[in-house]
Amino acid sequence: RKEVEQDPGPFNVPEGATVAFNCTYSNSASQSFFWYRQDCRKEPKLLMSVYSSGNEDGRFTAQLNRASQYISLLIRDSKLSDSATYLCVVNIFGNQFYFGTGTSLTVIP
Amino acid sequence: DAGITQSPRYKITETGRQVTLMCHQTWSHSYMFWYRQDLGHGLRLIYYSAAADITDKGEVPDGYVVSRSKTENFPLTLESATRSQTSVYFCASSDKGGVAGANVLTFGAGSRLTVL
């Protein structure tokens, strides 16, 4: 079983739509959680860390459910510039990071 | 410039040749990592280092060698390149700290390697 699993998509949504991604992790000892964004042929970049209480950054909301071992990312009012691959990342110990394979999002005009 | 830089950004080589990919970070981060990214596999850890002179294998270390004589540098060497090592290689670094003690990974821009 993979440490981190994501629906690869693709998700194709119209501009202005709300879209949600989920990610499940298998190790209950996981300590830190992140969403990264990766544009085509470029490096992953941190979108947001995910905290137990949930957190919001503009149009983006991240949630963590430790009991069910999943994290989510909600994007409201999608923009064309949101088109990218979104990676779920879990950190178990200092050096152990596990990645989902990514969820592809295309926002359509 | 501050940050994490990789070189070369693009490299074409032939089977059997030795290739070294360089990674340099200016934050004095303790941890450094090398990943490869291939279609259908996502990011896979090759090697990591917790500090200078401390390295350890990741998920796919075969055919690769690393060293870390200085905190800021973490070169990755392909001793005898094979076609299966054609990939995009990302170096990353992290340090304990940040908000709520979370370790945040920061990636270099990547090195795209083609082995003919």
Side-chain angles (χ1 to χ4, degrees):
Chain A
R1 183 183 174 186
K2 290 184 180 179
E3 293 281 350
V4 179
E5 301 211 46
Q6 283 183 259
D7 180 349
F11 285 67
N12 299 313
V13 302
E15 266 187 296
T18 296
V19 61
F21 307 137
N22 289 325
C23 166
T24 58
Y25 60 94
S26 60
N27 193 324
S28 59
S30 300
Q31 297 180 346
S32 304
F33 309 87
F34 310 91
W35 284 102
Y36 277 71
R37 171 193 169 126
Q38 186 172 26
D39 292 288
C40 187
R41 304 169 80 86
K42 294 193 173 181
E43 75 274 24
K45 292 184 178 178
L46 180 68
L47 179 65
M48 51 198 309
S49 301
V50 187
Y51 305 126
S52 297
S53 55
N55 47 300
E56 187 174 308
D57 182 3
R59 299 181 292 108
F60 299 85
T61 300
Q63 296 279 351
L64 167 64
N65 185 318
R66 284 191 182 270
S68 300
Q69 295 185 195
Y70 78 83
I71 68 173
S72 64
L73 177 68
L74 183 76
I75 305 175
R76 291 182 299 278
D77 188 23
S78 299
K79 312 290 185 190
L80 296 177
S81 58
D82 294 334
S83 297
T85 296
Y86 291 83
L87 296 170
C88 172
V89 181
V90 173
N91 175 231
I92 299 177
F93 300 114
N95 55 285
Q96 293 186 24
F97 290 87
Y98 294 93
F99 298 83
T101 52
T103 299
S104 174
L105 172 67
T106 300
V107 180
I108 304 163
Chain B
D1 288 341
I4 181 165
T5 54
Q6 292 184 232
S7 62
R9 294 290 314 281
Y10 302 90
K11 176 74 176 179
I12 299 174
T13 191
E14 295 177 337
T15 301
R17 292 194 180 258
Q18 184 179 83
V19 175
T20 296
L21 306 179
M22 305 300 293
C23 179
H24 175 79
Q25 53 103 355
T26 60
W27 297 302
S28 299
H29 281 172
S30 299
Y31 294 115
M32 295 188 75
F33 308 81
W34 274 106
Y35 294 92
R36 61 178 290 174
Q37 188 174 38
D38 306 287
L39 283 174
H41 288 283
L43 282 155
R44 292 183 291 175
L45 181 65
I46 304 170
Y47 269 95
Y48 67 93
S49 169
D53 297 322
I54 301 174
T55 62
D56 210 345
K57 296 178 180 179
E59 180 186 355
V60 289
D62 293 344
Y64 303 95
V65 174
V66 293
S67 62
R68 195 165 176 207
S69 56
K70 293 184 178 181
T71 300
E72 60 266 31
N73 296 325
F74 191 39
L76 176 74
T77 298
L78 289 67
E79 295 186 297
S80 178
T82 65
R83 290 196 181 89
S84 65
Q85 292 178 309
T86 293
S87 187
V88 180
Y89 292 85
F90 289 106
C91 180
S93 71
S94 77
D95 199 10
K96 271 205 174 291
V99 179
N103 288 336
V104 175
L105 265 181
T106 303
F107 289 85
S111 295
R112 186 172 297 275
L113 176 68
T114 301
V115 183
L116 302 176

